[in-house]
Amino acid sequence: ALLTPGDVVLFSGANAHMALSVSVSLSLTAYESFVNFHPRSVAAFLESGTERQYRECRARARMVEEVKEEVVEAILDLKADLDNGRVSDPLLLAHAPPALQALQRDAFIAGRLKEAARLADAAGEHGGENDGGAPEQQQGRPRKAARLQDASPLGQSAQPADPRGER
């Protein structure tokens, strides 16, 4: 895409893309992998790193697995919110379940979700979901791998601040 100052662009993180800003002023670009709940976006994401992607744009297997580990965390969080009635947006309520089902058809994601369920069950047998036990668990499920948190020199503070002062 060719951009001019003030333009905003959104690409699916599952597909190769590039943006070029042409101007005499300073340009600022940020990149974040983003997959929405549209079935085509979920399908494109699940093809990441496979033979279906153009070879020169294919992500390395370990990179795809790291992103999928974060997707598993997001799935667990969203499922908990759905199960506990913390989601009231009708569009999210309509589109999240089919997207979650599609994501769970991925062998890697399904395996990690099964492992999280096993750990949650084990934590429940030992005094509840969050009994102050092992640091690698949080609320009865595996915490994001330390290597993902340590990859940012700012740690968790690298997350964008919510304008309302919330995270």
Side-chain angles (χ1 to χ4, degrees), residues 44-117:
F45 167 71
L46 292 175
E47 291 175 355
S48 296
T50 70
E51 296 292 323
R52 301 240 336 132
Q53 270 191 322
Y54 178 63
R55 183 173 179 79
E56 299 300 318
C57 297
R58 198 175 302 151
R60 294 183 315 274
R62 187 64 211 145
M63 181 186 293
V64 173
E65 287 175 358
E66 287 175 356
V67 172
K68 287 182 177 180
E69 286 173 2
E70 291 188 32
V71 168
V72 167
E73 285 294 318
I75 288 171
L76 292 170
D77 289 342
L78 180 57
K79 279 183 159 186
D81 288 347
L82 289 168
D83 291 346
N84 294 319
R86 289 190 293 254
V87 176
S88 60
D89 182 276
L91 287 173
L92 189 54
L93 289 169
H95 297 286
L100 293 175
Q101 288 174 347
L103 288 165
Q104 291 175 74
R105 287 193 291 266
D106 178 83
F108 183 90
I109 292 172
R112 289 298 199 263
L113 289 171
K114 285 180 185 176
E115 178 65 10

Side-chain angles (χ1 to χ4, degrees), residues 11-17 29-34:
F11 294 100
S12 167
N15 297 304
H17 54 271
T29 304
Y31 179 88
E32 180 65 34
S33 181
F34 173 79

